[in-house]
Amino acid sequence: MADPIRVAVTGAAGQIAYSAIFRLASGAVFGPDQPVQLSLLEIPPAMKVLESVAMELDDCAFPTLTGVTMTDQAEQAFDGINAALMIGSRPRGPGMERADLIRVNGPIFVGQGKALNRAASDVRVVVVGNPCNTNCLIAMSNSDVPKDRFSAMMRLDYNRAKTMLANKAQVPVTDVTNLAVWGNHSNNQYPDFENARIQGRPLSEMITDESWLKDTFVPDVQTRGAVVIKARGSSSAASGAIAALDHLLSFRQPTPAGDWFVAAVLSAGQYGVDPGLIFGYPLRVKGEGWEIVEGLTMSDWGRTKFEKVLDELRQEREVVKDLL
Ligand code: NAD
Ligand code: LMR
């Protein structure tokens, strides 16, 4: 058997974690031959609920699960870990924007960023807690872990966009490729249909209804989180968990030839983004790391969307500058 992968999950007694943890433990994520150790972090009032999660993990008798630790101390939770799913934070409620959480959730990522210094040298950090791009910026800025190890989750947006395009074109989701989602996990994100392909051909050959793309598809992806909150009374959880695990795996596996995946990572200025922002880009795995896919083009309409979301991230950075 391989050495166990040690995965920390923060907010481990919460809704997203409840969907993610059992998949991690079952072998569904890393495979049936890869042992997994879970390091579960919560705040003190949630430790009792967390104990029930550990009981249920015991009751599943997963052959791949070789250990579970629970703590309310981030340094302990992150000691020696190979991956961190940073979920722990407040979700928004009906009528709120994700950015309304910035001063409530942002400070969490200061201390947890510092505590990540205890992680293993190969650690990968996935920030899920909202507003996730800027929370990722805060964690990265407070940590000595190499900056290319940090990413924020835009995979749920990518998965949503993929399904909407596949449904419109009446093809399986696997036929939709080369889909970028630029910028922020917010209602200004830009799901880019211009560069997307369906069955290997430009999307415009398969979906000719440009007004649907601009006036229905883009806003529907942008606002899907709020629509789920309205229907469910609380924010998306199972789909968020699946997206977090998809995201984690995309950094560990070769990217399919000719395609890319989407995550928010540190910008070095690609596509005119301010260096230092955590920006949603199309990515490919390269060696042990990743690279941003360069050379994609945008219409003036697309560039306007891109500039709007870029401006939003600049403003979010301004709001948390004391935490960086
Ligand atoms: P939840 O309220 O069910 O769970 C959050 C958990 O975090 C709670 O158990 C809480 O006790 C814990 N927590 C709070 N502060 C903590 C801290 N300092 N350290 C460790 N744990 C802490 O919420 P949820 O539905 O699981 O959502 C969690 C976060 O994920 C929210 O911010 C939500 O908006 C975000 N989210 C992001 C995406 C995305 O696509 N990026 C998708 C869905 C949800
Ligand atoms: C989502 O996109 O579903 C999450 O970010 C939760 C939210 O606040 O919308």
Side-chain angles (χ1 to χ4, degrees), residues 21-187:
I21 285 172
F22 292 85
R23 291 180 73 83
L24 286 165
S26 71
V29 178
F30 299 116
D33 300 321
Q34 175 58 62
V36 175
Q37 280 184 21
L38 291 173
S39 179
L40 307 179
L41 179 69
E42 259 298 349
I43 50 175
M47 289 306 285
K48 194 155 178 59
V49 177
L50 186 57
E51 280 168 29
S52 74
V53 174
M55 286 180 216
E56 287 202 71
L57 283 167
D58 278 348
D59 298 349
C60 292
F62 289 126
T64 41
L65 184 62
T66 56
V68 180
T69 55
M70 290 174 284
T71 177
D72 58 11
Q73 300 298 313
E75 290 77 9
Q76 195 183 329
F78 296 157
D79 197 22
I81 54 160
N82 310 106
L85 290 183
M86 301 190 65
I87 302 168
S89 53
R90 280 248 308 266
R92 64 174 165 158
M96 291 173 73
E97 292 302 331
R98 296 180 188 91
D100 296 339
L101 299 165
I102 203 163
R103 293 299 316 182
V104 180
N105 286 342
I108 295 172
F109 293 85
V110 174
Q112 292 188 2
K114 293 189 173 102
L116 281 166
N117 295 342
R118 302 284 290 269
S121 58
D122 67 348
V123 71
R124 284 201 182 285
V125 181
V126 183
V127 178
V128 177
N130 278 322
C132 62
N133 296 54
T134 297
N135 287 338
C136 181
L137 178 65
I138 296 169
M140 185 190 75
S141 304
N142 284 281
S143 177
D144 297 332
V145 169
K147 296 187 180 346
D148 65 352
R149 301 286 164 161
F150 286 85
S151 55
M153 185 171 108
M154 299 196 54
R155 184 56 165 258
L156 184 50
D157 311 300
Y158 170 90
N159 287 347
R160 289 167 171 163
K162 198 173 228 193
T163 301
M164 288 182 205
L165 292 175
N167 288 347
K168 181 72 176 172
Q170 297 185 296
V171 298
V173 283
T174 45
D175 285 359
V176 181
T177 61
N178 302 86
L179 177 61
V181 184
W182 302 98
N184 198 7
H185 176 62
S186 74
N187 60 10

Side-chain angles (χ1 to χ4, degrees), residues 303-317:
R303 192 74 209 180
T304 306
K305 298 276 169 209
F306 188 99
E307 291 296 334
K308 187 169 181 193
V309 73
L310 171 55
D311 205 43
E312 178 182 56
L313 279 169
R314 290 180 182 131
Q315 287 171 32
E316 286 190 15
R317 179 172 58 182

Side-chain angles (χ1 to χ4, degrees), residues 209-288:
D209 184 350
E210 197 179 323
S211 68
W212 179 83
L213 289 165
K214 289 182 172 169
D215 303 330
T216 301
F217 165 71
V218 170
D220 280 1
V221 178
Q222 290 172 327
T223 57
R224 180 69 163 187
V227 172
V228 171
I229 290 172
K230 194 162 174 223
R232 182 178 138 81
S234 59
S235 68
S236 58
S239 57
I242 296 297
L245 301 174
D246 286 351
H247 174 124
L248 194 58
L249 271 187
S250 286
F251 280 94
R252 295 176 61 90
Q253 292 174 340
T255 310
D259 203 1
W260 55 66
F261 64 100
V262 164
V265 294
L266 177 67
S267 172
Q270 293 91 341
Y271 294 94
V273 173
D274 314 24
L277 286 177
I278 299 289
F279 196 86
Y281 280 117
L283 303 178
R284 267 197 284 264
V285 163
K286 186 181 182 201
E288 297 293 300

